[in-house]
Amino acid sequence: MTTTNINQTGVSYSALELPKSLPDHTQLPESDGTFANNFQEYSQSLLLTDSITPILQALHPDEQYCIGQNSGIY
């Protein structure tokens, strides 16, 4: 819902009325079968993978480890 306001210079503008509170984790959708897409997800996955790989290589020189990306956890 929007309302029309007039500022001090006499110019009118529309203001968006925000809800008094935001939903918490129990009110967010979780069962519609779709995943939320984040345009930064791919680059974040690469950054995290590049950061953890040297540590995993030091801990597991036999390279017996797995790194998961885009696992669909909400």
Side-chain angles (χ1 to χ4, degrees), residues 3-4 7 10 13 16 19 21 28 35-36 42 49 54-55 58-59 65-66 70:
T3 58
T4 302
N7 65 14
Y13 64 94
L16 181 64
S21 65
L28 295 172
F35 292 104
Y42 180 70
T49 298
I55 297 168
L59 292 173
Y65 59 85
C66 177
N70 196 12

Side-chain angles (χ1 to χ4, degrees), residues 4-74:
T4 302
N5 298 309
I6 299 176
N7 65 14
Q8 294 173 346
T9 61
V11 176
S12 65
Y13 64 94
S14 296
L16 181 64
E17 292 180 17
L18 298 175
K20 294 192 187 305
S21 65
L22 296 173
D24 64 19
H25 70 284
T26 63
Q27 298 166 319
L28 295 172
E30 48 78 28
S31 60
D32 65 355
T34 63
F35 292 104
N37 290 324
N38 178 352
F39 74 94
Q40 297 174 331
E41 182 177 353
Y42 180 70
S43 57
Q44 289 171 346
S45 292
L46 291 178
L47 179 62
L48 292 170
T49 298
D50 288 347
S51 299
I52 194 73
T53 298
I55 297 168
L56 290 173
Q57 288 174 339
L59 292 173
H60 304 282
D62 59 352
E63 296 186 1
Q64 294 295 310
Y65 59 85
C66 177
I67 299 172
Q69 294 180 347
N70 196 12
S71 59
I73 297 173
Y74 187 74

